[in-house]
Amino acid sequence: MKHSYFKNIFFILFIYFFLNTFVSGHKLISSVTGELDGGNFSYYRLNDKGIFKLVLVSHEGDADIYVSDKEKMVDYSNYDLQSTTYGDDIIFINKDINRPVYISIYAHPYYHKTIFTMYQYEISNKETENLKEFNDFNDDLYFSNSYNDFNKID
């Protein structure tokens, strides 16, 4: 009975990842996982050219994402793009935005500790042609054709 339960869970997870990877058309380029105390920032730099979707998942606590192509130490008072929802935060990076793109992850101070993972997905040009809501969701962000990881800024 126990073996069958784990087999079913494994099958469901396999289908989930298969559909997200091959059917959605988004290609996972890189990811970074981190832990922050409440009220603190972690800074990253994205050099890739192209069209991307950044997905920030808060595993514990609540992380928010801020993006700028001007401010190296981007924060909640100095940003071009932001997503501050409770839950998964999504930002689209436009191919025309200047590189490097500076990204900060902020741990909401309501929580003592925040654990997060930020995923970088490549979005194909063909896919963006079919997505009118893509521009409605975020006017000036898209993603890259090179496959560099995020560069953490100390």
Side-chain angles (χ1 to χ4, degrees):
M1 181 78 156
K2 199 179 222 184
H3 178 68
S4 176
Y5 172 77
F6 288 113
K7 186 176 177 182
N8 289 339
I9 293 295
F10 176 76
F11 179 73
I12 290 168
L13 289 173
F14 174 77
I15 294 299
Y16 172 78
F17 287 111
F18 176 81
L19 291 175
N20 278 333
T21 302
F22 297 105
V23 177
S24 73
H26 295 41
K27 181 176 182 181
L28 180 63
I29 302 300
S30 65
S31 67
V32 62
T33 299
E35 181 177 323
L36 289 168
D37 291 333
N40 288 307
F41 285 91
S42 189
Y43 299 95
Y44 301 90
R45 181 179 60 235
L46 177 63
N47 295 316
D48 299 345
K49 300 277 185 204
I51 303 170
F52 297 94
K53 179 168 102 175
L54 301 179
V55 178
L56 178 64
V57 177
S58 298
H59 304 291
E60 183 178 325
D62 181 29
D64 297 323
I65 186 171
Y66 298 90
V67 174
S68 176
D69 66 351
K70 298 169 210 59
E71 298 296 325
K72 195 173 196 175
M73 302 307 235
V74 59
D75 63 21
Y76 43 73
S77 62
N78 248 337
Y79 61 87
D80 297 317
L81 301 164
Q82 70 166 344
S83 180
T84 58
T85 63
Y86 182 77
D88 294 354
D89 293 294
I90 299 172
I91 295 231
F92 291 95
I93 305 292
N94 175 311
K95 66 182 176 184
D96 298 322
I97 194 169
N98 293 327
R99 300 303 197 268
V101 175
Y102 301 104
I103 302 164
S104 70
I105 307 300
Y106 177 66
H108 196 280
Y110 182 79
Y111 298 95
H112 175 69
K113 178 173 72 169
T114 294
I115 299 172
F116 65 89
T117 302
M118 179 172 51
Y119 300 95
Q120 175 190 1
Y121 292 95
E122 179 182 28
I123 298 177
S124 69
N125 288 332
K126 181 180 177 185
E127 185 177 9
T128 59
E129 291 171 6
N130 298 326
L131 293 176
K132 281 287 184 208
E133 67 273 12
F134 186 78
N135 286 325
D136 296 338
F137 183 81
N138 190 328
D139 286 333
D140 43 15
L141 289 186
Y142 292 84
F143 288 31
S144 159
N145 291 328
S146 62
Y147 302 110
N148 298 326
D149 290 339
F150 295 106
N151 297 303
K152 185 161 184 170
I153 300 173
D154 296 320

